[in-house]
Short mmCIF file of all heavy atoms in Angstrom, two decimals:
data_model
loop_
_atom_site.label_atom_id
_atom_site.label_comp_id
_atom_site.label_asym_id
_atom_site.label_seq_id
_atom_site.Cartn_x
_atom_site.Cartn_y
_atom_site.Cartn_z
N MET I 28 -19.13 1.60 5.07
CA MET I 28 -20.30 2.04 5.81
C MET I 28 -20.09 3.48 6.25
O MET I 28 -19.03 3.85 6.73
CB MET I 28 -20.50 1.13 7.03
CG MET I 28 -21.64 1.59 7.91
SD MET I 28 -21.70 0.75 9.50
CE MET I 28 -22.49 -0.76 9.04
N ALA I 29 -21.07 4.29 6.08
CA ALA I 29 -20.99 5.70 6.45
C ALA I 29 -21.07 5.86 7.97
O ALA I 29 -21.64 5.03 8.67
CB ALA I 29 -22.13 6.48 5.80
N ASP I 30 -20.48 6.94 8.45
CA ASP I 30 -20.56 7.23 9.88
C ASP I 30 -21.99 7.51 10.29
O ASP I 30 -22.73 8.19 9.58
CB ASP I 30 -19.72 8.46 10.24
CG ASP I 30 -18.25 8.17 10.26
OD1 ASP I 30 -17.87 6.99 10.28
OD2 ASP I 30 -17.46 9.13 10.25
N ASP I 31 -22.38 7.02 11.45
CA ASP I 31 -23.67 7.34 12.05
C ASP I 31 -23.44 8.53 12.97
O ASP I 31 -22.89 8.39 14.05
CB ASP I 31 -24.19 6.13 12.84
CG ASP I 31 -25.49 6.42 13.57
OD1 ASP I 31 -26.00 7.55 13.48
OD2 ASP I 31 -25.99 5.51 14.25
N ARG I 32 -23.83 9.70 12.52
CA ARG I 32 -23.53 10.93 13.29
C ARG I 32 -24.30 11.02 14.60
O ARG I 32 -24.01 11.88 15.41
CB ARG I 32 -23.77 12.15 12.42
CG ARG I 32 -22.76 12.20 11.29
CD ARG I 32 -23.03 13.36 10.36
NE ARG I 32 -22.17 13.26 9.20
CZ ARG I 32 -21.05 13.94 9.05
NH1 ARG I 32 -20.65 14.77 9.97
NH2 ARG I 32 -20.33 13.80 7.96
N THR I 33 -25.24 10.13 14.84
CA THR I 33 -25.92 10.12 16.13
C THR I 33 -25.12 9.32 17.16
O THR I 33 -25.37 9.43 18.35
CB THR I 33 -27.33 9.51 16.01
OG1 THR I 33 -27.24 8.16 15.58
CG2 THR I 33 -28.18 10.31 15.04
N ASN I 34 -24.15 8.55 16.68
CA ASN I 34 -23.28 7.80 17.58
C ASN I 34 -22.26 8.76 18.17
O ASN I 34 -21.63 9.52 17.45
CB ASN I 34 -22.58 6.69 16.79
CG ASN I 34 -21.83 5.72 17.67
OD1 ASN I 34 -21.64 5.97 18.85
ND2 ASN I 34 -21.40 4.63 17.09
N ARG I 35 -22.05 8.72 19.47
CA ARG I 35 -21.21 9.72 20.13
C ARG I 35 -19.72 9.54 19.88
O ARG I 35 -18.97 10.48 19.96
CB ARG I 35 -21.49 9.69 21.63
CG ARG I 35 -22.93 10.01 21.92
CD ARG I 35 -23.12 10.04 23.37
NE ARG I 35 -23.10 11.44 23.75
CZ ARG I 35 -23.49 11.89 24.90
NH1 ARG I 35 -23.89 11.07 25.82
NH2 ARG I 35 -23.47 13.16 25.17
N GLY I 36 -19.27 8.33 19.62
CA GLY I 36 -17.85 8.10 19.40
C GLY I 36 -17.57 7.85 17.93
O GLY I 36 -18.48 7.64 17.14
N PRO I 37 -16.30 7.89 17.55
CA PRO I 37 -15.96 7.62 16.16
C PRO I 37 -16.21 6.16 15.81
O PRO I 37 -16.17 5.29 16.68
CB PRO I 37 -14.48 7.96 16.09
CG PRO I 37 -13.99 7.86 17.47
CD PRO I 37 -15.14 8.20 18.37
N GLN I 38 -16.46 5.88 14.55
CA GLN I 38 -16.73 4.51 14.11
C GLN I 38 -15.51 3.62 14.33
O GLN I 38 -15.64 2.50 14.74
CB GLN I 38 -17.12 4.49 12.63
CG GLN I 38 -18.45 5.15 12.35
CD GLN I 38 -19.62 4.38 12.91
OE1 GLN I 38 -19.72 4.11 14.10
NE2 GLN I 38 -20.52 4.02 12.04
N ASP I 39 -14.34 4.11 14.00
CA ASP I 39 -13.11 3.35 14.16
C ASP I 39 -12.31 4.00 15.27
O ASP I 39 -11.62 4.98 15.06
CB ASP I 39 -12.33 3.34 12.84
CG ASP I 39 -11.06 2.52 12.93
OD1 ASP I 39 -10.72 2.05 14.03
OD2 ASP I 39 -10.41 2.35 11.90
N ARG I 40 -12.40 3.45 16.45
CA ARG I 40 -11.74 4.05 17.61
C ARG I 40 -10.23 3.86 17.62
O ARG I 40 -9.56 4.33 18.53
CB ARG I 40 -12.37 3.52 18.89
CG ARG I 40 -13.72 4.14 19.17
CD ARG I 40 -14.34 3.54 20.43
NE ARG I 40 -15.51 4.23 20.90
CZ ARG I 40 -16.69 4.24 20.32
NH1 ARG I 40 -16.85 3.63 19.17
NH2 ARG I 40 -17.71 4.87 20.85
N SER I 41 -9.68 3.20 16.61
CA SER I 41 -8.24 3.04 16.56
C SER I 41 -7.57 4.14 15.74
O SER I 41 -6.36 4.24 15.73
CB SER I 41 -7.87 1.67 15.98
OG SER I 41 -8.21 1.61 14.60
N ARG I 42 -8.35 4.98 15.06
CA ARG I 42 -7.82 6.05 14.22
C ARG I 42 -8.48 7.38 14.58
O ARG I 42 -9.64 7.43 14.97
CB ARG I 42 -8.11 5.78 12.74
CG ARG I 42 -7.48 4.54 12.23
CD ARG I 42 -6.04 4.80 11.89
NE ARG I 42 -5.37 3.54 11.57
CZ ARG I 42 -4.08 3.35 11.75
NH1 ARG I 42 -3.34 4.31 12.22
NH2 ARG I 42 -3.54 2.20 11.46
N ILE I 43 -7.73 8.46 14.43
CA ILE I 43 -8.22 9.80 14.72
C ILE I 43 -8.36 10.56 13.41
O ILE I 43 -7.38 10.76 12.71
CB ILE I 43 -7.29 10.54 15.70
CG1 ILE I 43 -7.25 9.78 17.02
CG2 ILE I 43 -7.76 11.99 15.89
CD1 ILE I 43 -6.27 10.35 18.02
N ASN I 44 -9.59 10.98 13.08
CA ASN I 44 -9.88 11.74 11.87
C ASN I 44 -10.14 13.18 12.27
O ASN I 44 -11.21 13.51 12.78
CB ASN I 44 -11.11 11.13 11.17
CG ASN I 44 -11.54 11.93 9.96
OD1 ASN I 44 -10.92 12.92 9.59
ND2 ASN I 44 -12.62 11.50 9.34
N LEU I 45 -9.17 14.05 12.01
CA LEU I 45 -9.31 15.46 12.39
C LEU I 45 -10.28 16.22 11.49
O LEU I 45 -10.59 17.37 11.77
CB LEU I 45 -7.94 16.14 12.38
CG LEU I 45 -6.94 15.62 13.41
CD1 LEU I 45 -5.60 16.31 13.22
CD2 LEU I 45 -7.46 15.82 14.82
N GLY I 46 -10.80 15.59 10.45
CA GLY I 46 -11.70 16.25 9.52
C GLY I 46 -13.14 16.30 9.98
O GLY I 46 -13.97 16.95 9.35
N GLU I 47 -13.46 15.62 11.06
CA GLU I 47 -14.84 15.58 11.57
C GLU I 47 -14.88 16.19 12.97
O GLU I 47 -14.21 15.71 13.88
CB GLU I 47 -15.35 14.14 11.64
CG GLU I 47 -15.45 13.44 10.30
CD GLU I 47 -16.60 13.97 9.46
OE1 GLU I 47 -17.47 14.70 9.98
OE2 GLU I 47 -16.63 13.63 8.26
N ASP I 48 -15.67 17.27 13.13
CA ASP I 48 -15.73 17.97 14.42
C ASP I 48 -16.13 17.06 15.57
O ASP I 48 -15.57 17.13 16.66
CB ASP I 48 -16.69 19.15 14.34
CG ASP I 48 -16.15 20.29 13.50
OD1 ASP I 48 -14.92 20.37 13.29
OD2 ASP I 48 -16.97 21.11 13.04
N TYR I 49 -17.11 16.18 15.34
CA TYR I 49 -17.58 15.34 16.44
C TYR I 49 -16.51 14.32 16.85
O TYR I 49 -16.42 13.95 18.02
CB TYR I 49 -18.90 14.64 16.10
CG TYR I 49 -18.81 13.51 15.10
CD1 TYR I 49 -18.80 12.18 15.52
CD2 TYR I 49 -18.75 13.75 13.74
CE1 TYR I 49 -18.72 11.14 14.61
CE2 TYR I 49 -18.68 12.73 12.83
CZ TYR I 49 -18.66 11.41 13.26
OH TYR I 49 -18.59 10.39 12.36
N VAL I 50 -15.65 13.92 15.91
CA VAL I 50 -14.56 13.01 16.23
C VAL I 50 -13.49 13.76 17.04
O VAL I 50 -12.98 13.24 18.03
CB VAL I 50 -13.96 12.40 14.94
CG1 VAL I 50 -12.73 11.56 15.25
CG2 VAL I 50 -15.00 11.58 14.21
N VAL I 51 -13.19 14.98 16.63
CA VAL I 51 -12.22 15.79 17.37
C VAL I 51 -12.71 16.02 18.79
O VAL I 51 -11.93 15.88 19.75
CB VAL I 51 -11.97 17.14 16.65
CG1 VAL I 51 -11.11 18.07 17.51
CG2 VAL I 51 -11.31 16.90 15.30
N ARG I 52 -14.00 16.32 18.97
CA ARG I 52 -14.55 16.50 20.32
C ARG I 52 -14.40 15.24 21.15
O ARG I 52 -14.05 15.29 22.33
CB ARG I 52 -16.02 16.91 20.25
CG ARG I 52 -16.23 18.39 20.03
CD ARG I 52 -17.68 18.81 20.26
NE ARG I 52 -18.63 18.03 19.47
CZ ARG I 52 -18.98 18.30 18.22
NH1 ARG I 52 -18.44 19.33 17.59
NH2 ARG I 52 -19.86 17.55 17.59
N TYR I 53 -14.68 14.09 20.54
CA TYR I 53 -14.55 12.82 21.25
C TYR I 53 -13.13 12.64 21.79
O TYR I 53 -12.93 12.34 22.96
CB TYR I 53 -14.92 11.66 20.32
CG TYR I 53 -14.62 10.30 20.92
CD1 TYR I 53 -15.53 9.69 21.77
CD2 TYR I 53 -13.43 9.64 20.65
CE1 TYR I 53 -15.26 8.46 22.34
CE2 TYR I 53 -13.15 8.41 21.21
CZ TYR I 53 -14.06 7.82 22.06
OH TYR I 53 -13.78 6.61 22.63
N TRP I 54 -12.14 12.83 20.90
CA TRP I 54 -10.75 12.58 21.30
C TRP I 54 -10.23 13.64 22.27
O TRP I 54 -9.46 13.31 23.18
CB TRP I 54 -9.86 12.46 20.08
CG TRP I 54 -10.12 11.20 19.31
CD1 TRP I 54 -10.71 11.09 18.08
CD2 TRP I 54 -9.86 9.85 19.74
NE1 TRP I 54 -10.81 9.77 17.73
CE2 TRP I 54 -10.30 8.99 18.72
CE3 TRP I 54 -9.29 9.29 20.87
CZ2 TRP I 54 -10.18 7.61 18.80
CZ3 TRP I 54 -9.18 7.91 20.97
CH2 TRP I 54 -9.62 7.08 19.95
N THR I 55 -10.60 14.91 22.09
CA THR I 55 -10.13 15.92 23.04
C THR I 55 -10.71 15.66 24.42
O THR I 55 -10.02 15.81 25.42
CB THR I 55 -10.46 17.35 22.58
OG1 THR I 55 -11.85 17.48 22.34
CG2 THR I 55 -9.67 17.72 21.33
N ASP I 56 -11.97 15.23 24.48
CA ASP I 56 -12.58 14.87 25.77
C ASP I 56 -11.90 13.65 26.36
O ASP I 56 -11.60 13.60 27.55
CB ASP I 56 -14.07 14.61 25.62
CG ASP I 56 -14.88 15.87 25.37
OD1 ASP I 56 -14.34 16.99 25.53
OD2 ASP I 56 -16.06 15.74 25.00
N LYS I 57 -11.67 12.63 25.54
CA LYS I 57 -11.08 11.38 26.01
C LYS I 57 -9.68 11.61 26.58
O LYS I 57 -9.34 11.09 27.63
CB LYS I 57 -11.01 10.36 24.88
CG LYS I 57 -10.38 9.04 25.29
CD LYS I 57 -10.51 8.01 24.21
CE LYS I 57 -9.83 6.71 24.53
NZ LYS I 57 -10.19 6.10 25.79
N PHE I 58 -8.87 12.40 25.87
CA PHE I 58 -7.49 12.63 26.30
C PHE I 58 -7.34 13.84 27.23
O PHE I 58 -6.28 14.04 27.80
CB PHE I 58 -6.57 12.81 25.10
CG PHE I 58 -6.43 11.58 24.24
CD1 PHE I 58 -6.40 11.69 22.86
CD2 PHE I 58 -6.32 10.31 24.79
CE1 PHE I 58 -6.24 10.58 22.05
CE2 PHE I 58 -6.17 9.19 23.99
CZ PHE I 58 -6.13 9.31 22.62
N GLY I 59 -8.38 14.66 27.35
CA GLY I 59 -8.31 15.84 28.21
C GLY I 59 -7.34 16.89 27.68
O GLY I 59 -6.58 17.47 28.45
N VAL I 60 -7.36 17.10 26.36
CA VAL I 60 -6.45 18.06 25.73
C VAL I 60 -7.24 19.03 24.86
O VAL I 60 -8.41 18.81 24.57
CB VAL I 60 -5.39 17.33 24.86
CG1 VAL I 60 -4.51 16.44 25.72
CG2 VAL I 60 -6.03 16.54 23.73
N SER I 61 -6.56 20.08 24.43
CA SER I 61 -7.19 21.05 23.52
C SER I 61 -7.12 20.52 22.09
O SER I 61 -6.37 19.57 21.80
CB SER I 61 -6.46 22.39 23.60
OG SER I 61 -5.16 22.26 23.03
N LYS I 62 -7.86 21.15 21.21
CA LYS I 62 -7.84 20.76 19.80
C LYS I 62 -6.44 20.93 19.23
O LYS I 62 -5.95 20.07 18.49
CB LYS I 62 -8.85 21.59 19.01
CG LYS I 62 -8.89 21.23 17.54
CD LYS I 62 -9.92 22.04 16.79
CE LYS I 62 -9.92 21.69 15.31
NZ LYS I 62 -10.87 22.50 14.55
N SER I 63 -5.77 22.02 19.57
CA SER I 63 -4.43 22.26 19.04
C SER I 63 -3.42 21.22 19.55
O SER I 63 -2.54 20.80 18.81
CB SER I 63 -3.95 23.68 19.33
OG SER I 63 -3.87 23.90 20.71
N GLN I 64 -3.56 20.81 20.80
CA GLN I 64 -2.68 19.76 21.33
C GLN I 64 -2.92 18.44 20.60
O GLN I 64 -1.97 17.72 20.28
CB GLN I 64 -2.91 19.56 22.83
CG GLN I 64 -2.38 20.69 23.69
CD GLN I 64 -2.83 20.54 25.13
OE1 GLN I 64 -4.01 20.41 25.42
NE2 GLN I 64 -1.87 20.56 26.03
N LEU I 65 -4.19 18.13 20.34
CA LEU I 65 -4.52 16.91 19.61
C LEU I 65 -3.95 16.97 18.19
O LEU I 65 -3.34 16.01 17.72
CB LEU I 65 -6.04 16.71 19.58
CG LEU I 65 -6.51 15.45 18.85
CD1 LEU I 65 -6.09 14.19 19.60
CD2 LEU I 65 -8.02 15.48 18.67
N GLU I 66 -4.13 18.09 17.52
CA GLU I 66 -3.63 18.25 16.15
C GLU I 66 -2.11 18.08 16.11
O GLU I 66 -1.57 17.43 15.21
CB GLU I 66 -4.03 19.61 15.59
CG GLU I 66 -5.50 19.72 15.30
CD GLU I 66 -5.95 21.13 14.98
OE1 GLU I 66 -5.26 22.11 15.34
OE2 GLU I 66 -7.02 21.26 14.37
N GLU I 67 -1.41 18.66 17.07
CA GLU I 67 0.04 18.55 17.12
C GLU I 67 0.47 17.10 17.35
O GLU I 67 1.40 16.61 16.70
CB GLU I 67 0.60 19.44 18.24
CG GLU I 67 2.09 19.36 18.42
CD GLU I 67 2.88 20.00 17.29
OE1 GLU I 67 2.29 20.66 16.43
OE2 GLU I 67 4.11 19.81 17.26
N ALA I 68 -0.21 16.41 18.23
CA ALA I 68 0.12 15.01 18.50
C ALA I 68 -0.14 14.14 17.28
O ALA I 68 0.66 13.25 16.97
CB ALA I 68 -0.68 14.50 19.71
N VAL I 69 -1.23 14.39 16.55
CA VAL I 69 -1.52 13.64 15.33
C VAL I 69 -0.47 13.95 14.26
O VAL I 69 -0.01 13.05 13.56
CB VAL I 69 -2.95 13.94 14.81
CG1 VAL I 69 -3.16 13.38 13.42
CG2 VAL I 69 -4.00 13.39 15.77
N ARG I 70 -0.06 15.20 14.18
CA ARG I 70 0.98 15.58 13.22
C ARG I 70 2.28 14.82 13.50
O ARG I 70 2.94 14.32 12.59
CB ARG I 70 1.24 17.08 13.27
CG ARG I 70 2.19 17.57 12.19
CD ARG I 70 2.52 19.04 12.30
NE ARG I 70 3.31 19.36 13.49
CZ ARG I 70 4.61 19.08 13.64
NH1 ARG I 70 5.25 18.46 12.70
NH2 ARG I 70 5.24 19.43 14.74
N LYS I 71 2.62 14.68 14.77
CA LYS I 71 3.87 14.01 15.14
C LYS I 71 3.77 12.49 15.08
O LYS I 71 4.71 11.82 14.66
CB LYS I 71 4.28 14.41 16.56
CG LYS I 71 4.80 15.82 16.66
CD LYS I 71 5.24 16.12 18.06
CE LYS I 71 5.84 17.51 18.16
NZ LYS I 71 6.26 17.81 19.54
N ALA I 72 2.63 11.94 15.53
CA ALA I 72 2.53 10.49 15.72
C ALA I 72 1.72 9.77 14.65
O ALA I 72 1.75 8.54 14.59
CB ALA I 72 1.91 10.21 17.10
N GLY I 73 0.97 10.51 13.83
CA GLY I 73 0.10 9.87 12.86
C GLY I 73 -1.30 9.72 13.43
O GLY I 73 -1.60 10.21 14.52
N SER I 74 -2.18 9.03 12.71
CA SER I 74 -3.59 8.98 13.10
C SER I 74 -3.95 7.84 14.04
O SER I 74 -5.09 7.74 14.48
CB SER I 74 -4.47 8.91 11.85
OG SER I 74 -4.22 7.70 11.16
N SER I 75 -3.00 6.99 14.37
CA SER I 75 -3.26 5.89 15.30
C SER I 75 -3.57 6.45 16.69
O SER I 75 -2.78 7.21 17.26
CB SER I 75 -2.05 4.96 15.39
OG SER I 75 -2.13 4.13 16.52
N ALA I 76 -4.71 6.07 17.24
CA ALA I 76 -5.10 6.57 18.57
C ALA I 76 -4.08 6.18 19.63
O ALA I 76 -3.74 6.97 20.50
CB ALA I 76 -6.48 6.04 18.94
N ALA I 77 -3.54 4.97 19.54
CA ALA I 77 -2.55 4.51 20.52
C ALA I 77 -1.27 5.34 20.42
O ALA I 77 -0.69 5.73 21.44
CB ALA I 77 -2.25 3.03 20.31
N ALA I 78 -0.84 5.64 19.19
CA ALA I 78 0.37 6.43 19.00
C ALA I 78 0.17 7.87 19.47
O ALA I 78 1.06 8.47 20.08
CB ALA I 78 0.79 6.42 17.53
N VAL I 79 -1.01 8.42 19.22
CA VAL I 79 -1.32 9.77 19.67
C VAL I 79 -1.37 9.82 21.19
O VAL I 79 -0.83 10.74 21.81
CB VAL I 79 -2.65 10.28 19.05
CG1 VAL I 79 -3.11 11.57 19.71
CG2 VAL I 79 -2.48 10.48 17.55
N GLU I 80 -1.99 8.83 21.79
CA GLU I 80 -2.04 8.79 23.26
C GLU I 80 -0.63 8.74 23.84
O GLU I 80 -0.32 9.45 24.81
CB GLU I 80 -2.84 7.58 23.72
CG GLU I 80 -3.03 7.52 25.22
CD GLU I 80 -3.96 6.41 25.66
OE1 GLU I 80 -4.14 5.44 24.90
OE2 GLU I 80 -4.51 6.53 26.76
N GLU I 81 0.24 7.94 23.25
CA GLU I 81 1.63 7.86 23.71
C GLU I 81 2.35 9.19 23.52
O GLU I 81 3.10 9.63 24.39
CB GLU I 81 2.37 6.75 22.96
CG GLU I 81 3.78 6.54 23.42
CD GLU I 81 3.91 6.19 24.89
OE1 GLU I 81 3.02 5.52 25.45
OE2 GLU I 81 4.92 6.60 25.51
N GLU I 82 2.13 9.85 22.39
CA GLU I 82 2.74 11.16 22.14
C GLU I 82 2.27 12.18 23.17
O GLU I 82 3.08 12.96 23.69
CB GLU I 82 2.40 11.64 20.73
CG GLU I 82 2.92 13.03 20.40
CD GLU I 82 4.42 13.17 20.49
OE1 GLU I 82 5.16 12.19 20.25
OE2 GLU I 82 4.88 14.29 20.79
N LEU I 83 0.98 12.19 23.47
CA LEU I 83 0.46 13.12 24.48
C LEU I 83 1.05 12.82 25.86
O LEU I 83 1.37 13.74 26.61
CB LEU I 83 -1.07 13.05 24.52
CG LEU I 83 -1.77 13.63 23.29
CD1 LEU I 83 -3.24 13.26 23.30
CD2 LEU I 83 -1.60 15.15 23.23
N ARG I 84 1.23 11.56 26.16
CA ARG I 84 1.85 11.16 27.44
C ARG I 84 3.29 11.67 27.49
O ARG I 84 3.73 12.19 28.51
CB ARG I 84 1.79 9.64 27.57
CG ARG I 84 1.95 9.17 28.98
CD ARG I 84 1.76 7.67 29.14
NE ARG I 84 0.36 7.31 28.89
CZ ARG I 84 -0.05 6.31 28.14
NH1 ARG I 84 0.82 5.52 27.54
NH2 ARG I 84 -1.32 6.06 27.98
N ARG I 85 4.01 11.52 26.37
CA ARG I 85 5.40 12.00 26.30
C ARG I 85 5.45 13.51 26.50
O ARG I 85 6.31 14.03 27.20
CB ARG I 85 5.99 11.65 24.94
CG ARG I 85 6.99 10.54 24.95
CD ARG I 85 7.77 10.46 23.66
NE ARG I 85 6.94 10.36 22.48
CZ ARG I 85 6.52 9.23 21.93
NH1 ARG I 85 6.84 8.09 22.46
NH2 ARG I 85 5.78 9.23 20.85
N GLN I 86 4.53 14.24 25.85
CA GLN I 86 4.48 15.69 25.98
C GLN I 86 4.24 16.09 27.44
O GLN I 86 4.86 17.03 27.93
CB GLN I 86 3.39 16.28 25.09
CG GLN I 86 3.71 16.26 23.63
CD GLN I 86 2.56 16.79 22.79
OE1 GLN I 86 1.56 17.29 23.30
NE2 GLN I 86 2.69 16.67 21.48
N THR I 87 3.35 15.38 28.10
CA THR I 87 3.05 15.68 29.50
C THR I 87 4.26 15.45 30.38
O THR I 87 4.59 16.26 31.25
CB THR I 87 1.86 14.83 29.98
OG1 THR I 87 0.73 15.11 29.16
CG2 THR I 87 1.52 15.11 31.42
N LEU I 88 4.94 14.33 30.17
CA LEU I 88 6.12 13.98 30.97
C LEU I 88 7.28 14.95 30.75
O LEU I 88 8.02 15.25 31.67
CB LEU I 88 6.56 12.55 30.68
CG LEU I 88 5.61 11.45 31.14
CD1 LEU I 88 6.11 10.08 30.68
CD2 LEU I 88 5.43 11.47 32.64
N SER I 89 7.40 15.44 29.51
CA SER I 89 8.50 16.34 29.20
C SER I 89 8.16 17.81 29.48
O SER I 89 9.00 18.68 29.33
CB SER I 89 8.92 16.19 27.73
OG SER I 89 7.93 16.69 26.88
N GLY I 90 6.90 18.05 29.84
CA GLY I 90 6.49 19.42 30.13
C GLY I 90 6.15 20.22 28.90
O GLY I 90 5.91 21.40 28.97
N GLY I 91 6.10 19.55 27.75
CA GLY I 91 5.77 20.24 26.50
C GLY I 91 4.29 20.29 26.28
O GLY I 91 3.50 19.88 27.11
N GLY I 92 3.88 20.79 25.11
CA GLY I 92 2.46 20.76 24.84
C GLY I 92 1.94 21.91 24.18
O GLY I 92 1.88 22.61 23.40
#
């Protein structure tokens, strides 16, 4: 099924697709991070939203980012 671009969130909220601007906006807003921080977390943790959230939490705790 194709994405419904009128829907504000991504179709599959368990995965992060950096190829779609509206998906990137959703996740940066949700996690309160910049696009570059999100990209770095996805690079390190993969596209799983849970893994990315954990990576961002680790970065915050370690003072990185």
